[in-house]
Amino acid sequence: MISGADSNRILNAIEASSNWGSELRAEAMSLISKLPGYSWSGIYRLEGATLELDEFVGERTDHTHIPVGRGVCGAAVAENANQVVNDVRELDNYLSCSIKTKSEIVVLVKNEEGSILGQIDIDGHEVGAFDRSDEHFLESVGEFLAIRW
Ligand code: SME
């Protein structure tokens, strides 16, 4: 759950930024990572049939290359659908980055033609940390990032 004030503040900052590409993505992850409940904030770029870890803020992860279809991240691409997982312990197809993670949201980043450029992946330490407000916010972040990908 993100407040309207936090959402507006961060979206305004990203829109007003003069950065492009990986610098803009790093700036966005830095801003997002300070939100309450956002314990790991990262971006994966889709390169062919593999998701490649891009800019992130949080613990280092072993999952730097994720094939499409694997884990929550790979499922988002395979299904062409955002993923909001209330409790990752209930999933079979889950790639654990931290034993502290209880919930996760993955929102696809697409270009104007609808092709998937990558995704924003957020982990939370609480069960049910993310809802439709976070999905909507991250979709908006993704739209700004896609323009200057
Ligand atoms: N949990 C993800 C892998 C990425 S880490 O959360 C950073 C997944 O199941 O795809």
Side-chain angles (χ1 to χ4, degrees):
M1 167 75 113
I2 182 172
S3 73
D6 279 342
S7 173
N8 287 341
R9 176 177 55 77
I10 292 175
L11 292 173
N12 286 341
I14 295 171
E15 187 176 23
S17 172
S18 56
N19 285 327
W20 279 69
S22 61
E23 290 179 354
L24 182 64
R25 297 196 290 274
E27 183 181 357
M29 291 306 100
S30 173
L31 290 165
I32 284 174
S33 69
K34 298 180 183 77
L35 287 168
Y38 283 46
S39 61
W40 190 96
S41 307
I43 294 194
Y44 285 89
R45 281 177 287 105
L46 182 61
E47 306 281 351
T50 306
L51 288 158
E52 303 286 353
L53 182 61
D54 190 78
E55 303 295 334
F56 70 97
V57 177
E59 286 177 36
R60 288 177 60 124
T61 173
D62 290 339
H63 302 298
T64 53
H65 314 281
I66 301 177
V68 169
R70 288 211 56 208
V72 181
C73 294
V77 177
E79 297 169 16
N80 192 21
N82 298 334
Q83 310 282 313
V84 183
V85 182
N86 286 324
D87 190 339
V88 298
R89 294 169 297 186
E90 293 174 357
L91 292 184
D92 296 328
N93 187 19
Y94 176 64
L95 304 172
S96 176
C97 284
S98 164
I99 55 163
K100 291 184 222 152
T101 299
K102 298 287 192 310
S103 51
E104 178 160 1
I105 182 168
V106 173
V107 171
L108 294 168
V109 179
K110 298 179 182 179
N111 65 15
E112 282 183 351
E113 288 79 44
S115 300
I116 298 172
L117 300 174
Q119 60 187 213
I120 303 170
D121 178 18
I122 313 292
D123 290 353
H125 289 172
E126 308 293 329
V127 169
F130 309 111
D131 63 14
R132 182 73 188 104
S133 68
D134 301 280
E135 185 180 4
H136 182 70
F137 163 66
L138 294 170
E139 283 173 347
S140 298
V141 172
E143 284 170 20
F144 285 129
L145 297 183
I147 294 166
R148 286 179 270 164
W149 192 252

